[in-house]
Amino acid sequence: MTMTPKEMLAKLVSFNTESQRSNLDLIHFCRDYLASLGVESRLAPSPDGQKANLYATIGPRRDGGVVLSGQSTSRCPMTRRSAASARAS
């Protein structure tokens, strides 16, 4: 499953990960994509099982490695009405 950078970005932003929703579809996609490239990863589910973090290991397992971290939730874009309300307060 190889994608161009443009295809990958389009796929990643296609997941609805607003903070009140589950992020599992995105996390499972990333896990499966990394696995197709031979990258080991593990899920760390939230207590309610509706969300998870993903930890991936690339390269040799040894002390002093690098960890990359990212945010998988998003916010709803502000509508004109909510933006006006925010400015008024």
Side-chain angles (χ1 to χ4, degrees):
M1 171 193 331
T2 303
M3 296 183 178
T4 67
K6 185 176 180 178
E7 291 168 334
M8 177 58 81
L9 288 173
K11 180 67 175 175
L12 291 173
V13 300
S14 74
F15 293 98
N16 185 345
T17 59
E18 295 171 21
S19 58
Q20 73 273 15
R21 299 177 60 111
S22 174
N23 70 345
L24 293 178
D25 288 341
L26 168 65
I27 294 297
H28 291 158
F29 167 77
C30 292
R31 177 200 60 198
D32 296 345
Y33 185 80
L34 290 170
S36 77
L37 300 173
V39 176
E40 293 181 37
S41 64
R42 67 180 176 88
L43 295 180
S46 63
D48 66 3
Q50 294 300 305
K51 296 184 180 197
N53 289 317
L54 179 67
Y55 297 97
T57 303
I58 301 172
R61 291 180 173 256
R62 63 175 192 223
D63 289 346
V66 175
V67 174
L68 302 177
S69 176
Q71 180 71 23
S72 67
T73 57
S74 62
R75 302 269 185 225
C76 292
M78 291 183 85
T79 63
R80 288 183 182 170
R81 184 175 188 168
S82 62
S85 296
R87 285 192 300 272
S89 52

